[in-house]
Amino acid sequence: MTRLEEEFARSVALSNWFRDVLSEDGQVSADRRRMIALAFAALCLEHRAAFLLLVEHGANAGAMTLTRAIIEAHIRAVWASEVATDELLERFVADRYDPKVESTLQALKRKGPEHCALFEMLRTHHGILNDYAHGGVRLLSRWIQQGEIAPKYTDEEMIEALQFVDIIGAMSATAREALLDKSTQHFSERLHEMLLRTHPRG
């Protein structure tokens, strides 16, 4: 089994774990703020599931375009639950306001030092992933190589993408359970293990 196959199997195992431990979908009793945040957290997890399906079928280019949707769904869940004022939420629901990633992350960073690492990771990756969603130079560099037009993603690039969407998925799963007033300890522990494995401390 290659390292990419091992990493993909790890991602599938995470999906199975989510299925077993996440609270039931369906009707929830929550205010508008939490309902909006829950919808975005669920959307993040749905996008991650679609990412894995595309990778499984060798559609890496399509999968990479979803990475931005995954991170933005999570950022909007955070925006709705922790950043947005009541007025902005009302304007958003009325389709008169579109929360921007940069301003949301800056507001999150100002909330306290515990959010700084999250701010740096999301901000760095969001800028990179825009290229994949909008046909930027990073995307083209995977399609145009030595006179050949075809998508070429290395195993290392796909491993990094799998690890990234798994971390964001774990973050949204944790946020989802918190919004439902459920225990998040096992989610936080799992996320901590993932972060240590992918970003080991020196």
Side-chain angles (χ1 to χ4, degrees), residues 46-105:
E46 182 82 3
H47 285 328
R48 177 185 168 274
F51 174 93
L52 293 183
L53 282 174
L54 289 168
V55 172
E56 181 180 14
H57 291 283
N60 291 340
M64 291 302 287
T65 65
L66 276 175
T67 53
R68 183 187 173 200
I70 292 167
I71 191 173
E72 288 196 350
H74 177 67
I75 290 171
R76 289 196 171 202
V78 172
W79 172 80
S81 63
E82 298 192 39
V83 173
T85 62
D86 291 340
E87 178 188 358
L88 286 181
L89 277 177
E90 290 300 322
R91 289 175 60 193
F92 174 73
V93 171
D95 199 23
R96 291 186 288 111
Y97 179 76
D98 184 27
K100 303 301 180 189
V101 168
E102 181 63 26
S103 59
T104 297
L105 292 178

Side-chain angles (χ1 to χ4, degrees), residues 117-128:
L118 175 62
F119 164 81
E120 293 298 342
M121 185 185 77
L122 294 181
R123 187 182 187 203
T124 298
H125 280 82
H126 182 263
I128 293 170

Side-chain angles (χ1 to χ4, degrees), residues 168-182:
I168 299 300
M171 287 180 175
S172 267
T174 304
R176 179 184 182 279
E177 295 300 282
L179 288 160
L180 291 170
D181 296 321
K182 306 292 185 181

